[in-house]
Amino acid sequence: MSMNMNMKFEPKIMAFVCQWCTYTGADLAGTSRMQYSPYVKIIKLPCTGRIDVQFIVKAFEEGADGVIVSGCHPGDCHYTSGNYYARRRFEMFHELMSFVGVDMRRIQFAWVSAAEGRKWAELVNEVSKRVEELGPFNVFHALREQANELNP
Amino acid sequence: MNSIHEVREEARKLLEEKRVGMVIGYGKGKGKKNYPIFITDPQKVEELHFESDCFYNLAVYLRKPEVCSHGKLAIVVKGCDARSVRGLFSENQLKSEEVVMLELKCDAKGIGRDKCTTCRVKNPLTPEEKNPIDGEIAKILAMPMEERFRFFAEEFKRCIRCYACRQICPHCFCKTCIVEKSEPQWISSTPSPLGNWSWNFTRAFHLIGRCVECGECARACPVGIRLDILNRYLAKSVEEKYQFIAGMDEKAAPPLTTYKQNDNQDFIR
Amino acid sequence: MKSYNSSIVTKQGLKQLIENILAHKYRLLAPKKSGEQLSFETILRAEEVVLNQLLRTMTTLSPKEVFFPRTEPVLRYTGQEMHDVEPPTPETVLFGIRPCDARGLELLDKVFTWDYNDKFYLKRREATTIVTFACSDQASVDEHCFCLGVGGDPTASSGSDLLLSTNGDDAFLLEVITEKGERLLNSCKEGVELQASDKRAADQLEAIKDRFVRKQDLTEVRHKMPEYFDSDQLVQETYRCLGCGICAMSCPTCHCFDIVDEPKAGTLGEGARVKNWDACSFALFTKHAGGHNPRELQCQRCRQRYFHKLAYYPQKFSEESLCVGCGRCSRSCPVGLDIYQAVTHVLGKGRA
């Protein structure tokens, strides 16, 4: 990721969201014409319980600089308990990621309900600003570049 | 059981009375070397040994089809291996009535591997209270983030994808490993820095709440990747966060298959 | 007849030779310690070559990787367009491999040329000069070595361009084996004192032979192996195999590979077709798309490797077995499997 000094770094941020709460919340932010950072790319999934941590790893493999994972508040899951399972999984994911040296300011978990359009916009802005300040995820991108230069 | 003689006697009885079809244990090679042996003939129980260098975690054989075809099995276990067997029970990979454990005390000194310095199950049934302090983990935690990342990336770069870590692990019991899936392919099977990172990261993640810290993965790794540090750290976290120690209680639900409504969510906005 | 082209070179002289090789911009590869491992790495400074170490310890992985990397692209694609890939072939000196490894390369040459000339392998072979170290140190041979039993020789020169061996405490014997070796030596010998000698590494053979624990001859087993294809004893010997690929990947002559398309991460429609090491011990190696696996059990996969080494290759290519007796597979096997022990045991020649 070479960057011209004059060019502004535009982070790539992936958001994995549940379709019932956060996606609808993001929709609300849109229909309410709230302005928020354009760096985020949303992928809609049925439930946070469906979000395999492999998605997050893959996002970084494909060049993401930051990741958002968001779904229904505890107690509000459309499938009753998907987000409870997800919460434990993400807690351990958080542990492992930081143990292997991934700066966890690049990954944000959140609960955003269908009514919280404003919270969604704030969340995206906050993460975008933070990742922008952190700069590109160079240590990880370096692995990718080495992999693309497979020849020894 | 306290001695290999008792184990042999028990194994002989089990085989004679046809209560098990096979006994998995340690045999003696030339010199000091030991290796896994499989006994079906009660006359041959004298071949069972237990002394230094019995580091293998034999529980891995409980899921091999050629072994399972012998019906009920008996297995010689040290503390760490017994945890594996109970872990397999708790994950419904084995039924407890299908396996007879022949438990042996292990002073971990003869084994003399790194894994033994942090062992808490020298006696299979009376685990010690706390994990002994783990210097290797402390060393990693003292590193700044980028240094940690480089440390593990360098370790993983050496990976040649022989998959010995997976093959030797009793808890890598998936019929089809995620790295073998190709539609879609989540993890590249090419031994490149990127695919290696994802593979080793993912394997560690998949062992959360399963790993019993037997250390076999690190022992088997031909290029010396310190997979044990990763797994021990996660086992420690699981214990701190969910008061769960893998393989201690075969009735306890593995931590990632359950939840509490008031689980920690400090890290969630 | 030309007398032996050998000379005595001091430790200092050998160091100078290595420095000259580097100064002449050769890529120098030699065993180097990284962590607990000894592996072939690019050497940038002469002092990185620790002679004592490479004489005493064998690398965990064999030098086949220099010619047949664990992964390499065979073509690249962008959308519908495909581009040939030329293997990078810098002039290379491979320093400090063992005679068994050098012999392994000669065996691989046959595989990579019999029906198709594999340019990736052959171009690298061509660009590489091989400086072998005979196993002449007291500690060069360990309890796993059995090259003598498979037609090898710890002082042999086949497959090498230059052959080094110890000559007393502080000096080495340097033999020129091929013209390629001679070219390397001629271009890099300034300041290296070479004292002509009529000795050869092979003179030490009898003394080295005594250090071998494993002396049984396996060269004839190819005739007997087929009888044991369905032997229960062979099943017993290999029952504990777990199906990792350490044996094949550390082997100097295992050469199976898998072809995979690797999309370039972060792009659309760009990527490379790569050739990766594979191993017959993997269950996926023979698994058919429909789900059937002709080698369903692990002991069958293990048998395949033993038979390929000791029966199939000799039948197809030469009288030689594909095993060079380096002992790497048994040194690294996590459950102590051992081709020598299994075969000698099963074939009833007594246990080593």
Side-chain angles (χ1 to χ4, degrees):
Chain A
M1 295 264 137
S2 62
M3 235 198 328
N4 189 317
M5 288 303 280
N6 301 320
M7 234 162 69
K8 195 167 163 279
F9 163 58
E10 297 189 349
K12 292 197 183 99
I13 297 169
M14 287 298 304
F16 298 99
V17 304
C18 110
Q19 65 180 357
W20 302 101
C21 293
T22 306
Y23 194 78
T24 319
D27 234 9
L28 178 64
T31 48
S32 314
R33 310 241 176 248
M34 288 174 196
Q35 290 287 321
Y36 66 82
S37 161
Y39 302 140
V40 70
K41 292 162 184 70
I42 301 177
I43 290 186
K44 180 175 82 169
L45 291 134
C47 176
T48 39
R50 171 65 185 93
I51 300 170
D52 192 321
V53 299
Q54 215 64 49
F55 300 173
I56 306 174
V57 173
K58 198 73 179 173
F60 287 129
E61 279 194 0
E62 295 292 328
D65 301 297
V67 167
I68 294 172
V69 177
S70 177
C72 308
H73 284 268
D76 288 349
C77 179
H78 185 80
Y79 309 98
T80 321
S81 53
N83 55 359
Y84 286 132
Y85 290 108
R87 187 166 60 184
R88 280 199 167 194
R89 198 184 304 148
F90 294 142
E91 184 174 32
M92 289 314 296
F93 178 72
H94 194 294
E95 283 288 299
L96 177 55
M97 270 286 187
S98 41
F99 191 64
V100 298
V102 173
D103 191 329
M104 286 310 286
R105 287 175 293 178
R106 294 186 183 277
I107 306 175
Q108 182 66 58
F109 303 98
W111 306 133
V112 174
S113 79
E116 292 176 319
R118 179 153 306 282
K119 184 176 175 185
W120 172 254
E122 283 167 11
L123 174 75
V124 172
N125 285 335
E126 186 189 303
V127 175
S128 301
K129 186 161 172 276
R130 206 160 64 199
V131 175
E132 224 174 320
E133 281 164 11
L134 287 168
F137 193 3
N138 283 332
V139 278
F140 204 96
H141 299 329
L143 296 179
R144 191 158 56 104
E145 268 149 44
Q146 288 160 11
N148 286 338
E149 300 297 323
L150 281 170
N151 274 325
Chain B
M1 270 164 265
N2 286 318
S3 75
I4 188 67
H5 302 291
E6 291 169 59
V7 167
R8 285 179 191 150
E9 200 43 43
E10 183 66 21
R12 194 178 52 76
K13 267 194 246 160
L14 288 167
L15 287 168
E16 273 177 356
E17 294 163 16
K18 301 215 184 319
R19 282 189 281 150
V20 302
M22 182 183 259
V23 178
I24 308 169
Y26 301 100
K28 203 164 156 48
K30 206 186 163 224
K32 277 184 76 180
K33 279 188 193 139
N34 291 277
Y35 51 80
I37 56 166
F38 308 86
I39 296 177
T40 47
D41 178 357
Q43 306 299 317
K44 290 195 171 160
V45 294
E46 294 301 313
E47 287 177 22
L48 289 168
H49 280 270
F50 187 74
E51 42 212 50
S52 59
D53 264 1
C54 288
F55 36 71
Y56 309 108
N57 183 344
L58 301 175
V60 66
Y61 290 106
L62 293 173
R63 64 186 171 90
K64 281 188 79 177
E66 53 268 55
V67 173
C68 295
S69 67
H70 284 83
K72 271 184 75 169
L73 302 165
I75 180 170
V76 177
V77 287
K78 308 184 293 292
C80 45
D81 318 338
R83 282 179 65 189
S84 275
V85 178
R86 284 193 295 265
L88 292 170
F89 292 156
S90 73
E91 301 221 44
N92 298 320
Q93 295 302 311
L94 284 175
K95 292 200 176 86
S96 52
E97 59 271 20
E98 284 170 353
V99 181
V100 179
M101 281 198 267
L102 304 170
E103 283 151 347
L104 270 172
K105 241 191 239 173
C106 162
D107 65 4
K109 280 189 202 117
I111 313 271
R113 299 268 159 175
D114 283 359
K115 67 182 188 185
C116 302
T117 57
T118 53
C119 176
R120 60 197 298 185
V121 283
K122 290 172 183 127
N123 195 338
L125 292 174
T126 53
E128 287 150 37
E129 271 303 300
K130 279 273 166 214
N131 253 342
I133 294 162
D134 194 322
E136 300 279 359
I137 290 178
K139 227 180 346 186
I140 305 288
L141 291 176
M143 293 178 185
M145 279 310 204
E146 285 215 358
E147 197 183 328
R148 279 191 214 179
F149 191 90
R150 288 208 177 87
F151 173 82
F152 282 108
E154 286 302 316
E155 288 285 296
F156 298 160
K157 243 180 234 178
R158 294 202 299 274
C159 177
I160 53 170
R161 302 300 190 93
C162 66
Y163 301 115
C165 48
R166 178 185 77 191
Q167 295 305 109
I168 206 152
C169 179
H171 303 281
C172 267
F173 48 65
C174 292
K175 286 250 156 48
T176 308
C177 177
I178 185 165
V179 76
E180 287 167 354
K181 292 192 175 156
S182 55
E183 290 179 65
Q185 185 184 46
W186 285 108
I187 300 168
S188 149
S189 59
T190 299
S192 76
L194 188 68
N196 284 355
W197 194 94
S198 303
W199 157 246
N200 287 287
F201 177 91
T202 305
R203 186 173 172 274
F205 188 81
H206 286 186
L207 284 172
I208 290 172
R210 299 200 162 100
C211 175
V212 298
E213 303 150 81
C214 75
E216 283 288 273
C217 46
R219 180 184 70 82
C221 180
V223 292
I225 301 172
R226 292 302 304 270
L227 301 162
D228 55 329
I229 305 181
L230 270 181
N231 292 327
R232 279 210 308 273
Y233 176 74
L234 292 168
K236 193 169 144 259
S237 303
V238 165
E239 185 180 350
E240 283 167 9
K241 289 182 192 304
Y242 313 119
Q243 295 73 51
F244 180 87
I245 309 175
M248 287 300 183
D249 175 6
E250 61 189 79
K251 299 271 174 345
L256 294 192
T257 66
T258 183
Y259 64 87
K260 284 196 178 120
Q261 291 199 343
N262 60 352
D263 274 337
N264 170 46
Q265 54 176 14
D266 292 351
F267 64 100
I268 302 177
R269 193 175 181 275
Chain C
M1 207 179 94
K2 199 174 149 194
S3 65
Y4 309 127
N5 191 351
S6 48
S7 28
I8 291 170
V9 56
T10 59
K11 211 169 197 172
Q12 191 50 43
L14 190 56
K15 200 176 162 227
Q16 184 62 50
L17 181 68
I18 295 171
E19 268 167 17
N20 293 349
I21 290 172
L22 288 169
H24 278 79
K25 303 280 180 233
Y26 283 101
R27 177 174 71 136
L28 177 63
L29 300 170
K32 191 178 153 189
K33 196 147 187 168
S34 62
E36 294 299 299
Q37 305 281 314
L38 200 60
S39 56
F40 288 95
E41 313 243 351
T42 305
I43 301 292
L44 301 172
R45 289 171 298 119
E47 50 275 25
E48 289 172 344
V49 182
V50 184
L51 291 170
N52 282 341
Q53 208 169 54
L54 68 87
L55 273 168
R56 292 191 179 142
T57 320
M58 196 177 267
T59 52
T60 314
L61 301 182
S62 81
K64 79 174 168 196
E65 189 164 15
V66 176
F67 310 96
F68 170 42
R70 60 184 79 172
T71 176
E72 71 173 325
V74 290
L75 66 84
R76 294 188 191 278
Y77 58 85
T78 319
Q80 298 292 311
E81 272 175 55
M82 288 195 272
H83 320 279
D84 263 348
V85 171
E86 283 305 310
T89 49
E91 283 292 316
T92 299
V93 175
L94 177 57
F95 184 92
I97 73 171
R98 300 286 183 100
C100 51
D101 293 334
R103 193 162 154 258
L105 293 171
E106 290 206 314
L107 298 173
L108 278 183
D109 288 347
K110 290 183 187 153
V111 178
F112 284 114
T113 52
W114 73 280
D115 62 341
Y116 171 78
N117 288 331
D118 185 302
K119 69 172 178 185
F120 298 94
Y121 175 86
L122 293 172
K123 284 193 171 173
R124 290 194 176 98
R125 276 288 266 151
E126 205 173 305
T128 305
T129 308
I130 293 169
V131 186
T132 303
F133 234 117
C135 299
S136 51
D137 186 88
Q138 278 294 341
S140 301
V141 176
D142 73 8
E143 75 274 16
H144 293 281
C145 290
F146 62 99
C147 60
L148 288 167
V150 283
D153 168 346
T155 60
S157 60
S158 63
S160 312
D161 298 310
L162 290 172
L163 180 67
L164 279 160
S165 54
T166 49
N167 183 47
D169 281 344
D170 245 358
F172 302 92
L173 192 66
L174 177 62
E175 290 169 64
V176 176
I177 310 296
T178 62
E179 276 177 27
K180 209 186 205 177
E182 194 159 18
R183 276 203 301 278
L184 176 72
L185 187 60
N186 283 339
S187 66
C188 295
K189 70 178 176 191
E190 66 271 18
V192 181
E193 202 182 309
L194 294 167
Q195 186 194 332
S197 167
D198 58 357
K199 286 199 221 168
R200 290 195 309 162
D203 299 340
Q204 301 191 50
L205 179 60
E206 287 309 313
I208 297 169
K209 268 186 178 169
D210 287 342
R211 293 183 210 135
F212 280 80
V213 186
R214 305 186 153 189
K215 296 181 185 189
Q216 275 193 49
D217 188 27
L218 300 182
T219 46
E220 294 305 315
V221 297
R222 65 179 186 279
H223 303 301
K224 278 184 93 181
M225 294 274 290
E227 293 167 38
Y228 290 85
F229 190 79
D230 284 322
S231 132
D232 276 345
Q233 251 190 314
L234 189 59
V235 173
Q236 294 304 319
E237 282 292 328
T238 56
Y239 207 73
R240 62 183 187 272
C241 177
L242 287 169
C244 72
I246 292 180
C247 47
M249 291 182 180
S250 61
C251 178
T253 60
C254 271
H255 51 263
C256 288
F257 55 81
D258 188 19
I259 298 273
V260 196
D261 282 357
E262 282 289 350
K264 192 170 176 176
T267 66
L268 276 179
E270 255 187 81
R273 177 158 299 175
V274 301
K275 181 166 104 178
N276 295 339
W277 286 354
D278 204 348
C280 53
S281 47
F282 292 156
L284 277 192
F285 189 81
T286 44
K287 193 168 178 184
H288 299 176
H292 172 65
N293 196 341
R295 290 186 207 133
E296 210 180 340
L297 300 177
Q298 195 54 44
C299 45
Q300 297 167 331
R301 297 172 201 136
C302 208
R303 174 182 67 194
Q304 166 62 23
R305 181 161 184 273
Y306 292 0
F307 271 70
H308 190 182
K309 293 280 167 210
L310 300 170
Y312 305 151
Y313 180 93
Q315 276 160 20
K316 188 171 174 68
F317 290 110
S318 65
E319 301 293 277
E320 295 169 295
S321 76
L322 186 60
C323 174
V324 294
C326 69
R328 283 191 181 87
C329 53
S330 52
R331 264 181 224 107
S332 294
C333 178
V335 290
L337 273 176
D338 188 326
I339 186 170
Y340 177 88
Q341 204 178 329
V343 171
T344 50
H345 196 196
V346 170
L347 268 53
K349 288 192 172 179
R351 201 159 179 166

